[in-house]
């Protein structure tokens, strides 16, 4: 079991530009925060592998992000399997999924690669870190049809409470980030209020989506504590309760326990 105060289940700390990476990692150590870093394409799976080996308290996912599925090839899963077998700090497949927000010209390819990575996660008996943007119904239907045994994390959840309930019915975990601190994020706040603690995870998705009180600056992985505090306020419980529940969930999902 990781004895961390919080496990930040999604941080691109290795891509920070305005904050020294070593400084950001040191801040996490001071706050007793562990981090899981996702990959985006078939090339940076190797960068994530190297990065997590070099830093304590840092773990990784390997996977191809929906906008980068054109980088996915016959060799990608072979490379991912080799990394997983040789690095016990790779704890999941991600971030993978569907994104219809920017470009819908290769939706079929997104679905094809998503399904292949679900099969692979099942084969490896690893959890799935899911990116879902403007593709709620399709993402859920694919998971229902193809996922057999992998635990599911709905990363940076942005859907409605009604959609969250459907995800929870599948046993999925709802991961909330800095958006929950935004003034007009009514849907996400409703989700935060209602999601059962046993289905809750925390993240930052840094360097994006910086929470209050630092919105407008580059996000950092230790800012997950502000996410936890806002969720606690919305649920009218203590930050310790939010941290303990989400960390317990992460320990179980990633076999840290």
């Amino acid at each position: 079991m990781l004895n961390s105060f919080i496990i930040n289940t999604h941080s691109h700390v290795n891509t920070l530009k305005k904050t020294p990476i070593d400084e950001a990692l040191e801040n996490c150590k001071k706050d007793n925060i562990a981090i899981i870093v996702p990959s985006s394409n078939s090339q940076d799976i190797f960068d994530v592998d190297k990065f997590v080996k070099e830093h304590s308290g840092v773990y990784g996912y390997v996977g191809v992000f929906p906008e980068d599925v054109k980088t996915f090839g016959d060799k990608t899963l072979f490379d991912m399997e080799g990394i997983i077998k040789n690095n016990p700090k790779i704890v999941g497949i991600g971030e993978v999924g569907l994104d219809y927000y920017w470009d819908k010209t290769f939706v079929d390819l997104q679905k094809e690669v998503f399904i292949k990575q679900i099969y692979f996660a099942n084969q490896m008996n690893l959890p799935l870190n899911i990116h879902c943007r403007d593709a709620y119904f399709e993402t859920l239907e694919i998971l229902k049809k193809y996922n057999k045994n992998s635990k599911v994390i709905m990363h940076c959840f942005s859907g409605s409470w009604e959609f969250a309930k459907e995800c929870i019915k599948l046993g999925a975990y709802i991961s909330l980030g800095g958006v929950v601190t935004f003034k007009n994020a009514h849907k996400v706040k409703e989700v935060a209020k209602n999601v059962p603690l046993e289905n809750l995870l925390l993240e930052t998705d840094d360097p994006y989506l910086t929470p209050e009180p630092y919105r407008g600056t580059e996000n950092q992985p230790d800012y997950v504590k502000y996410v936890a505090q806002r969720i606690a306020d919305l649920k009218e419980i203590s930050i310790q309760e939010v941290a303990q529940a989400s960390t317990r969930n992460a320990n179980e999902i990633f076999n840290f326990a």
Side-chain angles (χ1 to χ4, degrees):
M1 178 182 292
L2 294 184
N3 293 316
S4 298
F5 176 58
I6 292 174
I7 298 176
N8 182 341
T9 61
H10 200 107
S11 162
H12 299 273
V13 63
N14 56 326
T15 69
L16 294 180
K17 302 297 183 187
K18 298 178 181 178
T19 307
I21 292 172
D22 287 343
E23 178 183 316
L25 292 174
E26 186 59 33
N27 289 337
C28 286
K29 287 181 182 178
K30 289 177 182 176
D31 288 330
N32 196 20
I33 294 169
I35 308 166
I36 309 178
V37 178
S39 67
S40 297
N41 58 59
S42 60
Q43 283 75 50
D44 75 356
I45 57 174
F46 302 104
D47 297 331
V48 169
D49 177 38
K50 182 173 183 289
F51 186 81
V52 303
K53 284 177 177 175
E54 293 174 343
H55 298 285
S56 63
V58 181
Y59 298 81
Y61 305 103
V62 289
V64 177
F65 178 72
E67 288 182 31
D68 289 316
V69 292
K70 293 175 184 178
T71 73
F72 188 95
D74 293 339
K75 189 170 175 287
T76 305
L77 295 180
F78 176 82
D79 290 336
M80 287 165 60
E81 184 172 359
I83 289 169
I84 291 163
K85 288 183 175 179
N86 289 286
N87 186 354
K89 294 182 77 180
I90 299 297
V91 295
I93 306 302
E95 63 188 281
V96 304
L98 301 175
D99 191 315
Y100 295 173
Y101 183 78
W102 294 109
D103 187 347
K104 295 182 181 179
T105 61
F106 56 103
V107 164
D108 289 342
L109 181 60
Q110 284 193 36
K111 291 180 180 178
E112 177 186 334
V113 173
F114 183 25
I115 291 166
K116 286 181 178 179
Q117 292 184 99
I118 291 172
Y119 279 137
F120 179 72
N122 289 176
Q123 179 187 351
M124 295 288 103
N125 197 29
L126 288 174
L128 284 155
N129 183 272
I130 304 294
H131 175 103
C132 172
R133 192 174 188 190
D134 286 2
Y136 302 114
F137 175 79
E138 292 89 342
T139 299
L140 200 61
E141 288 304 301
I142 286 173
L143 287 169
K144 285 179 180 178
K145 184 174 181 179
Y146 296 101
N147 182 40
K148 305 304 179 187
N149 58 275
S150 291
K151 294 176 181 176
V152 171
I153 301 141
M154 301 303 291
H155 144 65
C156 197
F157 191 86
S158 61
S160 66
W161 171 233
E162 292 303 314
F163 179 64
K165 286 190 286 188
E166 292 303 310
C167 294
I168 291 168
K169 285 179 185 177
L170 289 184
Y173 294 83
I174 306 299
S175 185
L176 299 176
V179 175
V180 77
T181 70
F182 296 177
K183 181 179 179 181
N184 295 320
H186 303 300
K187 285 197 304 181
V188 176
K189 288 178 181 177
E190 183 184 12
V191 171
K193 286 180 182 179
N194 289 288
V195 61
L197 286 176
E198 57 266 29
N199 294 93
L200 176 67
L201 293 172
L202 304 175
E203 65 169 87
T204 47
D205 201 19
D206 55 276
Y208 318 105
L209 303 174
T210 310
E212 298 291 353
Y214 293 103
R215 195 173 181 190
T217 66
E218 184 176 65
N219 200 0
Q220 298 183 37
D222 70 311
Y223 289 176
V224 70
K225 59 193 176 188
Y226 300 109
V227 175
Q229 183 61 67
R230 186 64 181 123
I231 294 170
D233 293 342
L234 289 164
K235 285 185 169 296
E236 299 182 345
I237 59 177
S238 70
I239 186 174
Q240 286 78 14
E241 289 177 90
V242 170
Q244 287 170 2
S246 62
T247 296
R248 181 172 58 249
N249 294 338
N251 273 314
E252 292 172 355
I253 294 165
F254 301 109
N255 292 319
F256 292 140

